[in-house]
Amino acid sequence: MIKLHGAILSPYVRKVKVVLAMKGIEYDSTFQMPFNQGADFFKISPLGKIPALEHGDLKISDSTVICEYLEDLYPETPIYPTKPVDRAWARWLVTLGGTKVTELTGGIFFQRFMRINVLQQSSDEVLVEKIINEQLPPILDYLETQAPQAGFLFGDFGLADISLVSPFVNAGYGGYFVDEDRWPNFKRFAQRVLSHASVSPLLDVEAKLVPQSK
């Protein structure tokens, strides 16, 4: 059976769990934070990254690599569109979600959630305000142009959808929510993604850990 290692609130782990749910794949889950790893975990994930996946003799990390492995293994309910142009654009959006979007929203999450609740430290609000007021708006301006007015990015729900929206769940745990007046298309698109049958049950579980996010 597939074994997934990771922390429940990680946007990358969430992304993989959504794909597992989409495809109806059974798996075991092991809690692993992205720090304080033991030597055994580095045998699975040499860079110490989460999520990491074990399947038979295979040991891989990186959420997109894992999702694409699951796609190859279980091609039913595809996570990418079929047309080459659309697939290329979907991969770009997946990359954007996993890099700049997660970097910025993760900064909010780390400062306002992890530092306060886990590390017992105060947040750097100067840094948070810079992210919210200067760095994140240009990205949201771009995402506003990409978000569909109805449905999902490429018709059926897929990896690009959750890759762009999952990081904003973590920003919400840090008290930041996308302004619907300024970015209405993306806000409503994100709400549709979070209401999807493969996503909402995961958020229900997370909400028990962070009830203040409601």
Side-chain angles (χ1 to χ4, degrees):
M1 179 177 284
I2 287 172
K3 180 181 287 188
L4 181 68
H5 302 265
I8 190 171
L9 298 184
S10 162
Y12 298 115
V13 173
R14 186 184 302 117
K15 180 171 79 173
V16 173
K17 286 186 173 183
V18 167
V19 171
L20 288 162
M22 285 177 63
K23 294 178 174 294
I25 303 170
E26 294 185 358
Y27 64 98
D28 289 331
S29 184
T30 301
F31 178 75
Q32 175 63 58
M33 292 291 284
F35 46 82
N36 295 329
Q37 304 99 330
D40 288 343
F41 183 67
F42 280 98
K43 295 177 182 177
I44 303 168
S45 178
L47 299 179
K49 296 175 66 173
I50 62 168
L53 180 140
E54 292 184 89
H55 189 208
D57 294 331
L58 178 68
K59 297 177 177 63
I60 53 174
S61 58
D62 185 274
S63 61
T64 300
V65 172
I66 292 171
C67 290
E68 292 185 348
Y69 170 68
L70 296 173
E71 175 78 343
D72 291 339
L73 200 61
Y74 301 96
E76 303 83 3
T77 314
I79 61 174
Y80 283 119
T82 56
K83 294 180 180 178
V85 170
D86 288 345
R87 289 174 73 88
W89 198 250
R91 287 191 173 102
W92 150 242
L93 295 175
V94 169
T95 299
L96 177 63
T99 53
K100 196 63 176 179
V101 175
T102 298
E103 173 192 329
L104 295 175
T105 56
I108 299 170
F109 174 70
F110 179 77
Q111 292 295 329
R112 288 186 171 175
F113 185 89
M114 293 297 293
R115 286 191 66 162
I116 293 172
N117 296 294
V118 178
L119 302 177
Q120 304 298 308
Q121 300 173 353
S122 59
S123 63
D124 183 344
E125 284 301 310
V126 173
L127 176 59
V128 171
E129 290 302 317
K130 182 176 182 180
I131 293 172
I132 291 173
N133 295 320
E134 299 178 23
Q135 297 175 317
L136 196 51
I139 297 297
L140 280 164
D141 288 342
Y142 176 75
L143 295 178
E144 178 71 6
T145 69
Q146 300 301 305
Q149 293 188 358
F152 302 107
L153 287 162
F154 298 97
D156 293 330
F157 180 79
L159 186 60
D161 300 293
I162 189 58
S163 296
L164 289 180
V165 174
S166 181
F168 286 96
V169 174
N170 290 68
Y173 295 152
Y176 174 80
F177 302 94
V178 174
D179 184 346
E180 187 170 2
D181 290 333
R182 187 170 179 182
W183 298 289
N185 280 342
F186 184 75
K187 177 72 172 186
R188 293 164 192 163
F189 161 69
Q191 290 170 338
R192 293 193 297 274
V193 170
L194 298 180
S195 297
H196 190 272
S198 297
V199 183
S200 60
L202 299 176
L203 300 181
D204 289 341
V205 174
E206 293 182 22
K208 296 176 182 178
L209 300 178
V210 282
Q212 67 271 28
S213 67
K214 287 190 172 183

